[in-house]
């Protein structure tokens, strides 16, 4: 069963004893809760497309461990083509669902652990990598939905993990046993965890030598005792409970259904521990994860923007503004920004490089540039969608008004624009645009895969400012004589 069907994914979630709270109340079945169901539908789509012949190349890959065809969401990148196909997969899924499909964090955490466990073994003579490969084989064989849990609450931002008044502000080991460890703490902003099979827990920051208890990387079943999910509040989330057109994206919801996940003295057996105290490898692990994850946004947000651009273009037809040259130019601007980030993500894959463990990494400068552009372009694209769709995004009456026999006809009559289109098309498109450009969506674009300044630090560090100064000195001197110039390699 290397490729689960969507039904098998949902059934397998039912078997887990996931401890989850939504709106402050314990949820007895995540599968049947209306606040979570849209996000499960989205992940189910990732399973569904893998079975379709036309998407097979993009959605699946051949495992380098077993030689079997596996879901690309469980695959270790073997070459630059795998990196490019990952971005293509994300755009396809973004186009199909119009929202976040959640499995990318687990994929990038898998790859980060594959590379880091190899490097720890090389440097320290440990045995993490074979152990991780055994785990990976099971993930591939069972086509597991993995969440990645990286972002600690962090407490006082000016203090290190070991300096916090409350040591639980960073996930850490509180007990060591012969057969495993007990961990405590929490991770925030956890995408898809509430509807995943397992969580990959990774350190979220570089650590000092005295902080060994915080250097813990492991796999934890989502239903393990002591794992508690507390679902995040989203813009307009009670609309999911109401049903009807106000939800915007009725089947797949908006963004990834994030939760905070608490690890309240969770036991982790040795076979699921892939780093335990090797503080000197934490910074590298975080960097690997971030570089693999930041390029993603050119794919997933690209696919989401395709849907948003489509909704906006349709809206201009419904309004009768579609032939206006200014309107067409604004649509072109949306397309331009979207294709720019997609091209950078594809470029990051095409220019990727091989790591010591044999897997492949995105070009770091391009990957970080993709994410930096996303923190702007998604806002700009959304601004133009608001501009072209009009003020009714913020003022239109709700589904209940439409259903009320006393006033529903007024709502429809006075929201009818071009009579060639049913008024409900306008309302539904408007609701999608409203929800897809809500605070929840936009903030995810800003902070997902790291806040903007995190990318800028990497970009400046990689840019080779000194080499650029030498280039300028050489060009301006009119000679080839400037010493110390390091021209970039041409690949
Ligand atoms: Fe994947 Fe994008 Fe969602 Fe992150 S925001 S999990 S990259 S779809
Ligand atoms: Fe994200």
């Amino acid at each position: 069963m290397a490729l689960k069907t969507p039904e098998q994914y949902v059934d397998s979630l039912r078997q887990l004893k996931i401890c989850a709270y939504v709106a402050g109340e314990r949820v007895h079945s995540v599968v049947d809760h209306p606040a979570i169901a849209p996000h499960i539908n989205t992940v189910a789509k990732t399973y569904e497309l893998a079975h379709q012949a036309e998407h097979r190349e993009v959605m699946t890959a051949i495992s380098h461990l077993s030689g079997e065809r596996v879901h690309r969401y469980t695959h270790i990148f073997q070459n630059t083509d795998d990196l490019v196909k990952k971005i293509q997969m994300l755009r396809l899924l973004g186009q199909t669902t119009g929202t976040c499909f959640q499995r990318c964090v687990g994929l990038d955490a898998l790859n980060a652990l594959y590379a880091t466990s190899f490097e720890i073994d090389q440097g320290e003579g440990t045995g993490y990598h074979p152990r991780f490969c055994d785990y990976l084989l099971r993930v591939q064989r069972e086509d597991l939905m993995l969440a990645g849990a990286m972002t600690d609450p962090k407490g006082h931002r000016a203090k290190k993990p070991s300096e916090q008044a409350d040591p639980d502000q960073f996930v850490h080991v509180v007990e060591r046993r012969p057969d495993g460890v007990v961990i405590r703490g929490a991770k925030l902003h956890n995408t898809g965890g509430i509807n995943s099979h397992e969580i990959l827990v990774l350190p979220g920051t570089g650590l000092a030598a005295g902080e060994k208890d915080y250097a813990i990387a492991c796999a934890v079943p989502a239903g393990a005792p002591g794992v508690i999910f507390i679902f995040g509040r989203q813009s307009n989330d009670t609309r999911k409970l109401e049903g009807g057109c106000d939800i915007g994206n009725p089947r797949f919801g908006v963004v990834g259904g994030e939760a905070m996940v608490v690890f309240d003295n969770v036991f982790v057996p040795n076979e699921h521990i892939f780093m335990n105290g090797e503080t000197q490898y934490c910074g590298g692990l975080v960097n690997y994860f971030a570089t693999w994850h930041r390029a993603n946004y050119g794919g997933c947000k690209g696919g989401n923007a395709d849907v948003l651009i489509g909704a906006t273009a349709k809206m201009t037809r419904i309004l009768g503004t579609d032939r206006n040259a200014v309107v067409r130019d604004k649509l072109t601007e949306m397309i331009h920004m979207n294709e720019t980030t997609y091209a950078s993500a594809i470029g990051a894959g095409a220019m990727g490089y091989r790591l010591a463990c044999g897997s492949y990494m995105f070009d770091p400068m391009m990957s970080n540039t993709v994410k930096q552009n996303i923190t702007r372009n998604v806002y700009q694209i959304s601004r133009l969608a608001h501009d072209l769709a009009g003020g009714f995004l913020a003022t239109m009456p709700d589904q209940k008004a439409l259903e009320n026999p006393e006033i529903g006809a007024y709502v429809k009559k006075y929201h009818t624009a071009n009579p060639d289109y049913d008024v409900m098309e306008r309302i539904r498109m408007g609701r999608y645009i409203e929800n897809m450009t809500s605070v929840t969506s936009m903030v995810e674009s800003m902070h997902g895969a790291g806040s903007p300044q995190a990318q800028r630090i990497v970009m400046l560090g990689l840019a080779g400012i000194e080499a650029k100064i030498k280039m300028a000195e050489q060009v301006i001197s009119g000679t080839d004589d400037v010493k110390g110039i390091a021209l970039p390699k041409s690949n």
Side-chain angles (χ1 to χ4, degrees), residues 218-234:
C218 54
V220 177
V227 176
I228 302 161
F229 292 95
I230 305 172
F231 205 49
R233 178 106 232 209
Q234 295 186 331

Side-chain angles (χ1 to χ4, degrees), residues 211-291:
E211 297 179 314
K212 287 187 184 310
D213 287 344
Y214 297 90
I216 181 76
C218 54
V220 177
V227 176
I228 302 161
F229 292 95
I230 305 172
F231 205 49
R233 178 106 232 209
Q234 295 186 331
S235 309
N236 305 334
D237 53 4
T238 51
R239 297 186 192 183
K240 285 190 274 193
L241 313 181
E242 295 166 13
C245 68
D246 291 336
I247 185 173
N249 186 342
R251 187 166 163 204
F252 300 119
V254 177
V255 297
E258 279 75 14
M260 64 179 282
V261 52
V262 177
F263 300 93
D264 186 5
N265 296 319
V266 175
F267 175 70
V268 186
N270 286 330
E271 59 268 27
H272 287 163
I273 298 173
F274 311 120
M275 168 193 276
N276 187 2
E278 293 80 10
T279 50
Q280 64 274 38
Y281 295 88
C282 289
L285 185 146
V286 173
N287 185 40
Y288 279 158
F289 173 83
T291 310

Side-chain angles (χ1 to χ4, degrees), residues 100 105 191 258 293 297 300-301 444-445 448-449:
C100 165
V105 191
T191 299
E258 279 75 14
H293 204 59
Y297 280 56
C300 76
K301 304 299 180 202
E444 204 285 323
S445 299

Side-chain angles (χ1 to χ4, degrees), residues 73 86 90 93-94 97 99-106 108 191-192 255-256 258 292-301 304 444-445 448-449:
Y73 267 125
K86 174 198 195 191
L90 301 194
L93 286 165
T97 64
T99 189
C100 165
F101 28 88
Q102 308 155 49
R103 286 183 80 179
C104 328
V105 191
D108 295 330
T191 299
V255 297
E258 279 75 14
W292 269 313
H293 204 59
R294 286 178 185 159
N296 290 358
Y297 280 56
C300 76
K301 304 299 180 202
N304 288 175
E444 204 285 323
S445 299

Side-chain angles (χ1 to χ4, degrees), residues 30 39 54 66 102 277 289 292 297 348 352 389 411 422 470 487:
V30 295
H39 310 293
E54 67 268 38
S66 67
Q102 308 155 49
F289 173 83
W292 269 313
Y297 280 56
V411 176
D422 187 306
K470 296 284 183 200
L487 288 172

